Amino acid sequence: MRRNPMKNVLTAFAATLTLAAPAMAEGDAAKGEKEFKKCRACHSIVDDAGEAIVKGGKTGPNLYGVVGRVAGSEEFKYGGGLADAAAAEFVWTEEALAAYTMDAKKWLTDNGYSSQTKMTFKLKKGSEDVAAYLASVAE
Ligand code: HEC
């Protein structure tokens, strides 16, 4: 009996999805909210009405609605790397944000932007969770 070629394709596709799953680990927003304590020293989350969702420092830009927002687009004097990203109209995704918070300089250079960064803080773990939390703090 001849094997159905379409079935082989589907089986291969399903196998690829299974293999790819761990790399696309979903962040946990509740855990991320706790993890955000590390970011508060420099970042606040203030909504468009001026209401503080998280009161924090002003060393870094407001992170309200940052996922889905153009990088480097807040009223803030950004470093060269994020200024490049803004010029390229790069829009933050959870994935990019997770990578950026682990190593801003590396993320900037990996994406072809200037390595100049004002964010020297590096999050060792839980970056997907923080990204999921930030994605949840928006309109
Ligand atoms: C020591 C201060 C400091 C800490 C702690 C810090 N940041 Fe930052 N962050 C900055 C500064 C300063 C910038 C602006 C970077 C630049 O202009 O190059 C920035 C930029 C950012 C941006 C880009 C925002 C935009 O408008 O494009 C994101 C996203 C971000 N930080 C997320 C985080 C997260 C999440 C944490 C916690 C895990 C964190 N930061 C912790 C200082 C900090």
mmCIF file with all atom_site columns, all heavy atoms in Angstrom, residues 38-39 42-43 59 61 63 69 71-72 76 78-79 82 92 100-101 117-119 121 123 130, ligand 1:
data_model
loop_
_atom_site.group_PDB
_atom_site.id
_atom_site.type_symbol
_atom_site.label_atom_id
_atom_site.label_alt_id
_atom_site.label_comp_id
_atom_site.label_asym_id
_atom_site.label_entity_id
_atom_site.label_seq_id
_atom_site.pdbx_PDB_ins_code
_atom_site.Cartn_x
_atom_site.Cartn_y
_atom_site.Cartn_z
_atom_site.occupancy
_atom_site.B_iso_or_equiv
_atom_site.pdbx_formal_charge
_atom_site.auth_seq_id
_atom_site.auth_comp_id
_atom_site.auth_asym_id
_atom_site.auth_atom_id
_atom_site.pdbx_PDB_model_num
ATOM   1   N  N   . LYS A 1 38  ? 12.662 44.348 40.634 1.00 0.00 ? 38  LYS A N   1
ATOM   2   C  CA  . LYS A 1 38  ? 14.062 44.636 40.279 1.00 0.00 ? 38  LYS A CA  1
ATOM   3   C  C   . LYS A 1 38  ? 14.164 45.795 39.294 1.00 0.00 ? 38  LYS A C   1
ATOM   4   O  O   . LYS A 1 38  ? 15.216 46.397 39.144 1.00 0.00 ? 38  LYS A O   1
ATOM   5   C  CB  . LYS A 1 38  ? 14.711 43.393 39.654 1.00 0.00 ? 38  LYS A CB  1
ATOM   6   C  CG  . LYS A 1 38  ? 14.877 42.265 40.632 1.00 0.00 ? 38  LYS A CG  1
ATOM   7   C  CD  . LYS A 1 38  ? 15.393 41.016 39.945 1.00 0.00 ? 38  LYS A CD  1
ATOM   8   C  CE  . LYS A 1 38  ? 15.432 39.857 40.928 1.00 0.00 ? 38  LYS A CE  1
ATOM   9   N  NZ  . LYS A 1 38  ? 15.457 38.558 40.232 1.00 0.00 ? 38  LYS A NZ  1
ATOM   10  N  N   . CYS A 1 39  ? 13.091 46.065 38.604 1.00 0.00 ? 39  CYS A N   1
ATOM   11  C  CA  . CYS A 1 39  ? 13.103 47.098 37.573 1.00 0.00 ? 39  CYS A CA  1
ATOM   12  C  C   . CYS A 1 39  ? 12.651 48.445 38.141 1.00 0.00 ? 39  CYS A C   1
ATOM   13  O  O   . CYS A 1 39  ? 12.953 49.494 37.573 1.00 0.00 ? 39  CYS A O   1
ATOM   14  C  CB  . CYS A 1 39  ? 12.171 46.721 36.423 1.00 0.00 ? 39  CYS A CB  1
ATOM   15  S  SG  . CYS A 1 39  ? 12.188 44.967 35.982 1.00 0.00 ? 39  CYS A SG  1
ATOM   16  N  N   . CYS A 1 42  ? 14.463 51.873 38.639 1.00 0.00 ? 42  CYS A N   1
ATOM   17  C  CA  . CYS A 1 42  ? 14.690 52.773 37.502 1.00 0.00 ? 42  CYS A CA  1
ATOM   18  C  C   . CYS A 1 42  ? 13.461 53.044 36.649 1.00 0.00 ? 42  CYS A C   1
ATOM   19  O  O   . CYS A 1 42  ? 13.465 53.987 35.864 1.00 0.00 ? 42  CYS A O   1
ATOM   20  C  CB  . CYS A 1 42  ? 15.772 52.209 36.598 1.00 0.00 ? 42  CYS A CB  1
ATOM   21  S  SG  . CYS A 1 42  ? 17.335 51.939 37.431 1.00 0.00 ? 42  CYS A SG  1
ATOM   22  N  N   . HIS A 1 43  ? 12.461 52.171 36.730 1.00 0.00 ? 43  HIS A N   1
ATOM   23  C  CA  . HIS A 1 43  ? 11.302 52.319 35.837 1.00 0.00 ? 43  HIS A CA  1
ATOM   24  C  C   . HIS A 1 43  ? 9.982  52.450 36.590 1.00 0.00 ? 43  HIS A C   1
ATOM   25  O  O   . HIS A 1 43  ? 9.742  51.705 37.525 1.00 0.00 ? 43  HIS A O   1
ATOM   26  C  CB  . HIS A 1 43  ? 11.160 51.092 34.922 1.00 0.00 ? 43  HIS A CB  1
ATOM   27  C  CG  . HIS A 1 43  ? 12.235 50.940 33.909 1.00 0.00 ? 43  HIS A CG  1
ATOM   28  N  ND1 . HIS A 1 43  ? 12.299 51.687 32.755 1.00 0.00 ? 43  HIS A ND1 1
ATOM   29  C  CD2 . HIS A 1 43  ? 13.298 50.101 33.861 1.00 0.00 ? 43  HIS A CD2 1
ATOM   30  C  CE1 . HIS A 1 43  ? 13.353 51.316 32.048 1.00 0.00 ? 43  HIS A CE1 1
ATOM   31  N  NE2 . HIS A 1 43  ? 13.978 50.355 32.697 1.00 0.00 ? 43  HIS A NE2 1
ATOM   32  N  N   . THR A 1 59  ? 15.068 56.902 36.368 1.00 0.00 ? 59  THR A N   1
ATOM   33  C  CA  . THR A 1 59  ? 16.340 56.728 35.662 1.00 0.00 ? 59  THR A CA  1
ATOM   34  C  C   . THR A 1 59  ? 16.089 56.173 34.266 1.00 0.00 ? 59  THR A C   1
ATOM   35  O  O   . THR A 1 59  ? 16.813 56.479 33.325 1.00 0.00 ? 59  THR A O   1
ATOM   36  C  CB  . THR A 1 59  ? 17.247 55.754 36.452 1.00 0.00 ? 59  THR A CB  1
ATOM   37  O  OG1 . THR A 1 59  ? 17.275 56.170 37.794 1.00 0.00 ? 59  THR A OG1 1
ATOM   38  C  CG2 . THR A 1 59  ? 18.651 55.712 35.894 1.00 0.00 ? 59  THR A CG2 1
ATOM   39  N  N   . PRO A 1 61  ? 12.968 54.978 31.149 1.00 0.00 ? 61  PRO A N   1
ATOM   40  C  CA  . PRO A 1 61  ? 11.675 55.434 30.615 1.00 0.00 ? 61  PRO A CA  1
ATOM   41  C  C   . PRO A 1 61  ? 10.477 54.693 31.218 1.00 0.00 ? 61  PRO A C   1
ATOM   42  O  O   . PRO A 1 61  ? 10.615 53.586 31.717 1.00 0.00 ? 61  PRO A O   1
ATOM   43  C  CB  . PRO A 1 61  ? 11.787 55.147 29.114 1.00 0.00 ? 61  PRO A CB  1
ATOM   44  C  CG  . PRO A 1 61  ? 12.839 54.088 28.988 1.00 0.00 ? 61  PRO A CG  1
ATOM   45  C  CD  . PRO A 1 61  ? 13.796 54.321 30.118 1.00 0.00 ? 61  PRO A CD  1
ATOM   46  N  N   . LEU A 1 63  ? 7.410  52.390 31.393 1.00 0.00 ? 63  LEU A N   1
ATOM   47  C  CA  . LEU A 1 63  ? 7.239  51.132 30.650 1.00 0.00 ? 63  LEU A CA  1
ATOM   48  C  C   . LEU A 1 63  ? 5.767  50.773 30.425 1.00 0.00 ? 63  LEU A C   1
ATOM   49  O  O   . LEU A 1 63  ? 5.444  49.639 30.104 1.00 0.00 ? 63  LEU A O   1
ATOM   50  C  CB  . LEU A 1 63  ? 7.968  49.989 31.370 1.00 0.00 ? 63  LEU A CB  1
ATOM   51  C  CG  . LEU A 1 63  ? 9.507  50.091 31.362 1.00 0.00 ? 63  LEU A CG  1
ATOM   52  C  CD1 . LEU A 1 63  ? 10.117 48.891 32.067 1.00 0.00 ? 63  LEU A CD1 1
ATOM   53  C  CD2 . LEU A 1 63  ? 10.059 50.196 29.940 1.00 0.00 ? 63  LEU A CD2 1
ATOM   54  N  N   . ARG A 1 69  ? 4.877  48.904 21.541 1.00 0.00 ? 69  ARG A N   1
ATOM   55  C  CA  . ARG A 1 69  ? 5.261  50.306 21.384 1.00 0.00 ? 69  ARG A CA  1
ATOM   56  C  C   . ARG A 1 69  ? 6.588  50.361 20.624 1.00 0.00 ? 69  ARG A C   1
ATOM   57  O  O   . ARG A 1 69  ? 7.395  49.443 20.728 1.00 0.00 ? 69  ARG A O   1
ATOM   58  C  CB  . ARG A 1 69  ? 5.432  50.857 22.798 1.00 0.00 ? 69  ARG A CB  1
ATOM   59  C  CG  . ARG A 1 69  ? 5.840  52.280 22.949 1.00 0.00 ? 69  ARG A CG  1
ATOM   60  C  CD  . ARG A 1 69  ? 5.756  52.652 24.433 1.00 0.00 ? 69  ARG A CD  1
ATOM   61  N  NE  . ARG A 1 69  ? 7.074  52.673 25.052 1.00 0.00 ? 69  ARG A NE  1
ATOM   62  C  CZ  . ARG A 1 69  ? 7.284  52.864 26.359 1.00 0.00 ? 69  ARG A CZ  1
ATOM   63  N  NH1 . ARG A 1 69  ? 6.264  52.997 27.174 1.00 0.00 ? 69  ARG A NH1 1
ATOM   64  N  NH2 . ARG A 1 69  ? 8.502  52.894 26.838 1.00 0.00 ? 69  ARG A NH2 1
ATOM   65  N  N   . ALA A 1 71  ? 10.278 51.076 20.083 1.00 0.00 ? 71  ALA A N   1
ATOM   66  C  CA  . ALA A 1 71  ? 11.397 51.190 21.020 1.00 0.00 ? 71  ALA A CA  1
ATOM   67  C  C   . ALA A 1 71  ? 11.910 52.624 21.026 1.00 0.00 ? 71  ALA A C   1
ATOM   68  O  O   . ALA A 1 71  ? 11.894 53.307 19.994 1.00 0.00 ? 71  ALA A O   1
ATOM   69  C  CB  . ALA A 1 71  ? 12.514 50.236 20.624 1.00 0.00 ? 71  ALA A CB  1
ATOM   70  N  N   . GLY A 1 72  ? 12.338 53.085 22.183 1.00 0.00 ? 72  GLY A N   1
ATOM   71  C  CA  . GLY A 1 72  ? 12.928 54.418 22.277 1.00 0.00 ? 72  GLY A CA  1
ATOM   72  C  C   . GLY A 1 72  ? 11.977 55.544 21.946 1.00 0.00 ? 72  GLY A C   1
ATOM   73  O  O   . GLY A 1 72  ? 12.404 56.596 21.462 1.00 0.00 ? 72  GLY A O   1
ATOM   74  N  N   . PHE A 1 76  ? 12.257 60.652 26.731 1.00 0.00 ? 76  PHE A N   1
ATOM   75  C  CA  . PHE A 1 76  ? 13.415 60.205 27.482 1.00 0.00 ? 76  PHE A CA  1
ATOM   76  C  C   . PHE A 1 76  ? 14.646 60.407 26.604 1.00 0.00 ? 76  PHE A C   1
ATOM   77  O  O   . PHE A 1 76  ? 14.556 60.259 25.383 1.00 0.00 ? 76  PHE A O   1
ATOM   78  C  CB  . PHE A 1 76  ? 13.246 58.715 27.839 1.00 0.00 ? 76  PHE A CB  1
ATOM   79  C  CG  . PHE A 1 76  ? 14.347 58.159 28.700 1.00 0.00 ? 76  PHE A CG  1
ATOM   80  C  CD1 . PHE A 1 76  ? 14.315 58.323 30.081 1.00 0.00 ? 76  PHE A CD1 1
ATOM   81  C  CD2 . PHE A 1 76  ? 15.424 57.492 28.133 1.00 0.00 ? 76  PHE A CD2 1
ATOM   82  C  CE1 . PHE A 1 76  ? 15.329 57.829 30.872 1.00 0.00 ? 76  PHE A CE1 1
ATOM   83  C  CE2 . PHE A 1 76  ? 16.449 56.997 28.916 1.00 0.00 ? 76  PHE A CE2 1
ATOM   84  C  CZ  . PHE A 1 76  ? 16.400 57.163 30.290 1.00 0.00 ? 76  PHE A CZ  1
ATOM   85  N  N   . TYR A 1 78  ? 17.298 58.832 25.230 1.00 0.00 ? 78  TYR A N   1
ATOM   86  C  CA  . TYR A 1 78  ? 17.796 57.478 25.012 1.00 0.00 ? 78  TYR A CA  1
ATOM   87  C  C   . TYR A 1 78  ? 19.257 57.446 24.546 1.00 0.00 ? 78  TYR A C   1
ATOM   88  O  O   . TYR A 1 78  ? 19.737 58.407 23.940 1.00 0.00 ? 78  TYR A O   1
ATOM   89  C  CB  . TYR A 1 78  ? 16.952 56.773 23.954 1.00 0.00 ? 78  TYR A CB  1
ATOM   90  C  CG  . TYR A 1 78  ? 15.552 56.417 24.412 1.00 0.00 ? 78  TYR A CG  1
ATOM   91  C  CD1 . TYR A 1 78  ? 14.470 57.212 24.078 1.00 0.00 ? 78  TYR A CD1 1
ATOM   92  C  CD2 . TYR A 1 78  ? 15.323 55.271 25.163 1.00 0.00 ? 78  TYR A CD2 1
ATOM   93  C  CE1 . TYR A 1 78  ? 13.172 56.893 24.481 1.00 0.00 ? 78  TYR A CE1 1
ATOM   94  C  CE2 . TYR A 1 78  ? 14.030 54.938 25.572 1.00 0.00 ? 78  TYR A CE2 1
ATOM   95  C  CZ  . TYR A 1 78  ? 12.971 55.749 25.227 1.00 0.00 ? 78  TYR A CZ  1
ATOM   96  O  OH  . TYR A 1 78  ? 11.703 55.409 25.632 1.00 0.00 ? 78  TYR A OH  1
ATOM   97  N  N   . GLY A 1 79  ? 19.899 56.313 24.803 1.00 0.00 ? 79  GLY A N   1
ATOM   98  C  CA  . GLY A 1 79  ? 21.232 56.077 24.282 1.00 0.00 ? 79  GLY A CA  1
ATOM   99  C  C   . GLY A 1 79  ? 21.177 55.793 22.782 1.00 0.00 ? 79  GLY A C   1
ATOM   100 O  O   . GLY A 1 79  ? 20.091 55.609 22.212 1.00 0.00 ? 79  GLY A O   1
ATOM   101 N  N   . LEU A 1 82  ? 19.048 52.517 21.337 1.00 0.00 ? 82  LEU A N   1
ATOM   102 C  CA  . LEU A 1 82  ? 17.580 52.610 21.260 1.00 0.00 ? 82  LEU A CA  1
ATOM   103 C  C   . LEU A 1 82  ? 17.153 53.736 20.324 1.00 0.00 ? 82  LEU A C   1
ATOM   104 O  O   . LEU A 1 82  ? 16.082 53.657 19.714 1.00 0.00 ? 82  LEU A O   1
ATOM   105 C  CB  . LEU A 1 82  ? 16.967 52.782 22.651 1.00 0.00 ? 82  LEU A CB  1
ATOM   106 C  CG  . LEU A 1 82  ? 16.902 51.501 23.493 1.00 0.00 ? 82  LEU A CG  1
ATOM   107 C  CD1 . LEU A 1 82  ? 16.257 51.782 24.851 1.00 0.00 ? 82  LEU A CD1 1
ATOM   108 C  CD2 . LEU A 1 82  ? 16.140 50.387 22.795 1.00 0.00 ? 82  LEU A CD2 1
ATOM   109 N  N   . TRP A 1 92  ? 8.502  46.766 20.058 1.00 0.00 ? 92  TRP A N   1
ATOM   110 C  CA  . TRP A 1 92  ? 8.810  45.751 21.072 1.00 0.00 ? 92  TRP A CA  1
ATOM   111 C  C   . TRP A 1 92  ? 7.830  44.587 21.023 1.00 0.00 ? 92  TRP A C   1
ATOM   112 O  O   . TRP A 1 92  ? 6.619  44.802 21.026 1.00 0.00 ? 92  TRP A O   1
ATOM   113 C  CB  . TRP A 1 92  ? 8.752  46.358 22.492 1.00 0.00 ? 92  TRP A CB  1
ATOM   114 C  CG  . TRP A 1 92  ? 9.926  47.196 22.880 1.00 0.00 ? 92  TRP A CG  1
ATOM   115 C  CD1 . TRP A 1 92  ? 9.896  48.513 23.224 1.00 0.00 ? 92  TRP A CD1 1
ATOM   116 C  CD2 . TRP A 1 92  ? 11.299 46.771 22.997 1.00 0.00 ? 92  TRP A CD2 1
ATOM   117 N  NE1 . TRP A 1 92  ? 11.180 48.935 23.541 1.00 0.00 ? 92  TRP A NE1 1
ATOM   118 C  CE2 . TRP A 1 92  ? 12.047 47.899 23.411 1.00 0.00 ? 92  TRP A CE2 1
ATOM   119 C  CE3 . TRP A 1 92  ? 11.960 45.557 22.785 1.00 0.00 ? 92  TRP A CE3 1
ATOM   120 C  CZ2 . TRP A 1 92  ? 13.431 47.841 23.621 1.00 0.00 ? 92  TRP A CZ2 1
ATOM   121 C  CZ3 . TRP A 1 92  ? 13.321 45.507 22.985 1.00 0.00 ? 92  TRP A CZ3 1
ATOM   122 C  CH2 . TRP A 1 92  ? 14.044 46.636 23.402 1.00 0.00 ? 92  TRP A CH2 1
ATOM   123 N  N   . TYR A 1 100 ? 16.262 41.623 25.473 1.00 0.00 ? 100 TYR A N   1
ATOM   124 C  CA  . TYR A 1 100 ? 16.856 42.925 25.807 1.00 0.00 ? 100 TYR A CA  1
ATOM   125 C  C   . TYR A 1 100 ? 17.147 43.032 27.305 1.00 0.00 ? 100 TYR A C   1
ATOM   126 O  O   . TYR A 1 100 ? 18.213 43.508 27.700 1.00 0.00 ? 100 TYR A O   1
ATOM   127 C  CB  . TYR A 1 100 ? 15.903 44.047 25.370 1.00 0.00 ? 100 TYR A CB  1
ATOM   128 C  CG  . TYR A 1 100 ? 16.346 45.441 25.746 1.00 0.00 ? 100 TYR A CG  1
ATOM   129 C  CD1 . TYR A 1 100 ? 17.259 46.141 24.960 1.00 0.00 ? 100 TYR A CD1 1
ATOM   130 C  CD2 . TYR A 1 100 ? 15.839 46.067 26.881 1.00 0.00 ? 100 TYR A CD2 1
ATOM   131 C  CE1 . TYR A 1 100 ? 17.670 47.423 25.302 1.00 0.00 ? 100 TYR A CE1 1
ATOM   132 C  CE2 . TYR A 1 100 ? 16.241 47.354 27.234 1.00 0.00 ? 100 TYR A CE2 1
ATOM   133 C  CZ  . TYR A 1 100 ? 17.158 48.027 26.447 1.00 0.00 ? 100 TYR A CZ  1
ATOM   134 O  OH  . TYR A 1 100 ? 17.556 49.291 26.796 1.00 0.00 ? 100 TYR A OH  1
ATOM   135 N  N   . THR A 1 101 ? 16.207 42.580 28.145 1.00 0.00 ? 101 THR A N   1
ATOM   136 C  CA  . THR A 1 101 ? 16.403 42.724 29.593 1.00 0.00 ? 101 THR A CA  1
ATOM   137 C  C   . THR A 1 101 ? 17.508 41.791 30.115 1.00 0.00 ? 101 THR A C   1
ATOM   138 O  O   . THR A 1 101 ? 18.067 42.038 31.159 1.00 0.00 ? 101 THR A O   1
ATOM   139 C  CB  . THR A 1 101 ? 15.110 42.464 30.395 1.00 0.00 ? 101 THR A CB  1
ATOM   140 O  OG1 . THR A 1 101 ? 14.546 41.231 29.975 1.00 0.00 ? 101 THR A OG1 1
ATOM   141 C  CG2 . THR A 1 101 ? 14.115 43.565 30.204 1.00 0.00 ? 101 THR A CG2 1
ATOM   142 N  N   . THR A 1 117 ? 24.300 51.888 25.238 1.00 0.00 ? 117 THR A N   1
ATOM   143 C  CA  . THR A 1 117 ? 23.082 51.695 26.014 1.00 0.00 ? 117 THR A CA  1
ATOM   144 C  C   . THR A 1 117 ? 23.195 52.326 27.386 1.00 0.00 ? 117 THR A C   1
ATOM   145 O  O   . THR A 1 117 ? 24.272 52.357 27.964 1.00 0.00 ? 117 THR A O   1
ATOM   146 C  CB  . THR A 1 117 ? 22.744 50.192 26.152 1.00 0.00 ? 117 THR A CB  1
ATOM   147 O  OG1 . THR A 1 117 ? 21.559 50.067 26.956 1.00 0.00 ? 117 THR A OG1 1
ATOM   148 C  CG2 . THR A 1 117 ? 23.867 49.400 26.820 1.00 0.00 ? 117 THR A CG2 1
ATOM   149 N  N   . LYS A 1 118 ? 22.069 52.840 27.868 1.00 0.00 ? 118 LYS A N   1
ATOM   150 C  CA  . LYS A 1 118 ? 22.034 53.395 29.213 1.00 0.00 ? 118 LYS A CA  1
ATOM   151 C  C   . LYS A 1 118 ? 21.488 52.363 30.178 1.00 0.00 ? 118 LYS A C   1
ATOM   152 O  O   . LYS A 1 118 ? 21.405 52.602 31.368 1.00 0.00 ? 118 LYS A O   1
ATOM   153 C  CB  . LYS A 1 118 ? 21.153 54.646 29.236 1.00 0.00 ? 118 LYS A CB  1
ATOM   154 C  CG  . LYS A 1 118 ? 21.752 55.819 28.511 1.00 0.00 ? 118 LYS A CG  1
ATOM   155 C  CD  . LYS A 1 118 ? 20.867 57.029 28.687 1.00 0.00 ? 118 LYS A CD  1
ATOM   156 C  CE  . LYS A 1 118 ? 21.482 58.266 28.088 1.00 0.00 ? 118 LYS A CE  1
ATOM   157 N  NZ  . LYS A 1 118 ? 20.569 59.425 28.257 1.00 0.00 ? 118 LYS A NZ  1
ATOM   158 N  N   . MET A 1 119 ? 21.036 51.231 29.659 1.00 0.00 ? 119 MET A N   1
ATOM   159 C  CA  . MET A 1 119 ? 20.524 50.193 30.561 1.00 0.00 ? 119 MET A CA  1
ATOM   160 C  C   . MET A 1 119 ? 21.599 49.136 30.743 1.00 0.00 ? 119 MET A C   1
ATOM   161 O  O   . MET A 1 119 ? 21.783 48.266 29.897 1.00 0.00 ? 119 MET A O   1
ATOM   162 C  CB  . MET A 1 119 ? 19.225 49.558 30.057 1.00 0.00 ? 119 MET A CB  1
ATOM   163 C  CG  . MET A 1 119 ? 18.732 48.555 31.085 1.00 0.00 ? 119 MET A CG  1
ATOM   164 S  SD  . MET A 1 119 ? 17.006 48.190 31.036 1.00 0.00 ? 119 MET A SD  1
ATOM   165 C  CE  . MET A 1 119 ? 17.069 46.396 30.974 1.00 0.00 ? 119 MET A CE  1
ATOM   166 N  N   . PHE A 1 121 ? 21.701 47.258 33.532 1.00 0.00 ? 121 PHE A N   1
ATOM   167 C  CA  . PHE A 1 121 ? 21.131 46.192 34.357 1.00 0.00 ? 121 PHE A CA  1
ATOM   168 C  C   . PHE A 1 121 ? 20.863 44.962 33.497 1.00 0.00 ? 121 PHE A C   1
ATOM   169 O  O   . PHE A 1 121 ? 20.343 45.068 32.394 1.00 0.00 ? 121 PHE A O   1
ATOM   170 C  CB  . PHE A 1 121 ? 19.819 46.695 34.985 1.00 0.00 ? 121 PHE A CB  1
ATOM   171 C  CG  . PHE A 1 121 ? 19.072 45.649 35.745 1.00 0.00 ? 121 PHE A CG  1
ATOM   172 C  CD1 . PHE A 1 121 ? 19.398 45.384 37.071 1.00 0.00 ? 121 PHE A CD1 1
ATOM   173 C  CD2 . PHE A 1 121 ? 18.052 44.923 35.143 1.00 0.00 ? 121 PHE A CD2 1
ATOM   174 C  CE1 . PHE A 1 121 ? 18.711 44.404 37.780 1.00 0.00 ? 121 PHE A CE1 1
ATOM   175 C  CE2 . PHE A 1 121 ? 17.370 43.944 35.845 1.00 0.00 ? 121 PHE A CE2 1
ATOM   176 C  CZ  . PHE A 1 121 ? 17.705 43.682 37.164 1.00 0.00 ? 121 PHE A CZ  1
ATOM   177 N  N   . LEU A 1 123 ? 19.022 41.148 33.668 1.00 0.00 ? 123 LEU A N   1
ATOM   178 C  CA  . LEU A 1 123 ? 18.177 40.213 34.407 1.00 0.00 ? 123 LEU A CA  1
ATOM   179 C  C   . LEU A 1 123 ? 18.654 38.796 34.091 1.00 0.00 ? 123 LEU A C   1
ATOM   180 O  O   . LEU A 1 123 ? 18.691 38.401 32.934 1.00 0.00 ? 123 LEU A O   1
ATOM   181 C  CB  . LEU A 1 123 ? 16.719 40.397 33.985 1.00 0.00 ? 123 LEU A CB  1
ATOM   182 C  CG  . LEU A 1 123 ? 15.670 39.678 34.811 1.00 0.00 ? 123 LEU A CG  1
ATOM   183 C  CD1 . LEU A 1 123 ? 15.662 40.185 36.249 1.00 0.00 ? 123 LEU A CD1 1
ATOM   184 C  CD2 . LEU A 1 123 ? 14.295 39.892 34.197 1.00 0.00 ? 123 LEU A CD2 1
ATOM   185 N  N   . VAL A 1 130 ? 8.737  38.655 33.073 1.00 0.00 ? 130 VAL A N   1
ATOM   186 C  CA  . VAL A 1 130 ? 8.642  40.116 33.121 1.00 0.00 ? 130 VAL A CA  1
ATOM   187 C  C   . VAL A 1 130 ? 8.027  40.638 31.819 1.00 0.00 ? 130 VAL A C   1
ATOM   188 O  O   . VAL A 1 130 ? 7.178  41.531 31.843 1.00 0.00 ? 130 VAL A O   1
ATOM   189 C  CB  . VAL A 1 130 ? 10.030 40.760 33.370 1.00 0.00 ? 130 VAL A CB  1
ATOM   190 C  CG1 . VAL A 1 130 ? 9.968  42.267 33.218 1.00 0.00 ? 130 VAL A CG1 1
ATOM   191 C  CG2 . VAL A 1 130 ? 10.521 40.423 34.775 1.00 0.00 ? 130 VAL A CG2 1
HETATM 192 C  C1  . HEC B 2 .   ? 19.699 50.702 36.929 1.00 0.00 ? 1   HEC B C1  1
HETATM 193 C  C2  . HEC B 2 .   ? 18.535 51.205 36.245 1.00 0.00 ? 1   HEC B C2  1
HETATM 194 C  C3  . HEC B 2 .   ? 17.681 50.243 35.455 1.00 0.00 ? 1   HEC B C3  1
HETATM 195 C  C4  . HEC B 2 .   ? 17.138 49.056 35.869 1.00 0.00 ? 1   HEC B C4  1
HETATM 196 C  C5  . HEC B 2 .   ? 17.289 48.346 37.209 1.00 0.00 ? 1   HEC B C5  1
HETATM 197 C  C6  . HEC B 2 .   ? 16.348 48.563 34.747 1.00 0.00 ? 1   HEC B C6  1
HETATM 198 N  N1  . HEC B 2 .   ? 16.403 49.441 33.697 1.00 0.00 ? 1   HEC B N1  1
HETATM 199 FE FE1 . HEC B 2 .   ? 15.438 49.275 31.925 1.00 0.00 ? 1   HEC B FE1 1
HETATM 200 N  N2  . HEC B 2 .   ? 16.280 50.982 31.267 1.00 0.00 ? 1   HEC B N2  1
HETATM 201 C  C7  . HEC B 2 .   ? 17.099 51.800 32.026 1.00 0.00 ? 1   HEC B C7  1
HETATM 202 C  C8  . HEC B 2 .   ? 17.534 52.916 31.222 1.00 0.00 ? 1   HEC B C8  1
HETATM 203 C  C9  . HEC B 2 .   ? 18.447 54.058 31.685 1.00 0.00 ? 1   HEC B C9  1
HETATM 204 C  C10 . HEC B 2 .   ? 16.954 52.729 29.941 1.00 0.00 ? 1   HEC B C10 1
HETATM 205 C  C11 . HEC B 2 .   ? 17.168 53.582 28.687 1.00 0.00 ? 1   HEC B C11 1
HETATM 206 C  C12 . HEC B 2 .   ? 18.237 52.861 27.873 1.00 0.00 ? 1   HEC B C12 1
HETATM 207 C  C13 . HEC B 2 .   ? 18.893 53.666 26.792 1.00 0.00 ? 1   HEC B C13 1
HETATM 208 O  O1  . HEC B 2 .   ? 18.483 54.795 26.527 1.00 0.00 ? 1   HEC B O1  1
HETATM 209 O  O2  . HEC B 2 .   ? 19.848 53.134 26.193 1.00 0.00 ? 1   HEC B O2  1
HETATM 210 C  C14 . HEC B 2 .   ? 16.157 51.516 30.020 1.00 0.00 ? 1   HEC B C14 1
HETATM 211 C  C15 . HEC B 2 .   ? 15.399 51.016 28.972 1.00 0.00 ? 1   HEC B C15 1
HETATM 212 C  C16 . HEC B 2 .   ? 14.539 49.953 29.063 1.00 0.00 ? 1   HEC B C16 1
HETATM 213 C  C17 . HEC B 2 .   ? 13.646 49.513 28.027 1.00 0.00 ? 1   HEC B C17 1
HETATM 214 C  C18 . HEC B 2 .   ? 13.428 50.174 26.678 1.00 0.00 ? 1   HEC B C18 1
HETATM 215 C  C19 . HEC B 2 .   ? 12.238 51.091 26.792 1.00 0.00 ? 1   HEC B C19 1
HETATM 216 C  C20 . HEC B 2 .   ? 11.843 51.857 25.549 1.00 0.00 ? 1   HEC B C20 1
HETATM 217 O  O3  . HEC B 2 .   ? 11.201 52.904 25.713 1.00 0.00 ? 1   HEC B O3  1
HETATM 218 O  O4  . HEC B 2 .   ? 12.158 51.434 24.425 1.00 0.00 ? 1   HEC B O4  1
HETATM 219 C  C21 . HEC B 2 .   ? 12.982 48.412 28.495 1.00 0.00 ? 1   HEC B C21 1
HETATM 220 C  C22 . HEC B 2 .   ? 11.959 47.599 27.769 1.00 0.00 ? 1   HEC B C22 1
HETATM 221 C  C23 . HEC B 2 .   ? 13.479 48.180 29.832 1.00 0.00 ? 1   HEC B C23 1
HETATM 222 N  N3  . HEC B 2 .   ? 14.432 49.120 30.145 1.00 0.00 ? 1   HEC B N3  1
HETATM 223 C  C24 . HEC B 2 .   ? 13.042 47.164 30.644 1.00 0.00 ? 1   HEC B C24 1
HETATM 224 C  C25 . HEC B 2 .   ? 13.543 46.907 31.926 1.00 0.00 ? 1   HEC B C25 1
HETATM 225 C  C26 . HEC B 2 .   ? 13.090 45.817 32.745 1.00 0.00 ? 1   HEC B C26 1
HETATM 226 C  C27 . HEC B 2 .   ? 11.990 44.849 32.386 1.00 0.00 ? 1   HEC B C27 1
HETATM 227 C  C28 . HEC B 2 .   ? 13.822 45.869 33.899 1.00 0.00 ? 1   HEC B C28 1
HETATM 228 C  C29 . HEC B 2 .   ? 13.788 44.904 35.068 1.00 0.00 ? 1   HEC B C29 1
HETATM 229 C  C30 . HEC B 2 .   ? 14.011 43.531 34.742 1.00 0.00 ? 1   HEC B C30 1
HETATM 230 C  C31 . HEC B 2 .   ? 14.729 47.003 33.795 1.00 0.00 ? 1   HEC B C31 1
HETATM 231 N  N4  . HEC B 2 .   ? 14.525 47.608 32.575 1.00 0.00 ? 1   HEC B N4  1
HETATM 232 C  C32 . HEC B 2 .   ? 15.626 47.395 34.774 1.00 0.00 ? 1   HEC B C32 1
HETATM 233 C  C33 . HEC B 2 .   ? 17.468 51.610 33.338 1.00 0.00 ? 1   HEC B C33 1
HETATM 234 C  C34 . HEC B 2 .   ? 17.184 50.477 34.089 1.00 0.00 ? 1   HEC B C34 1
#
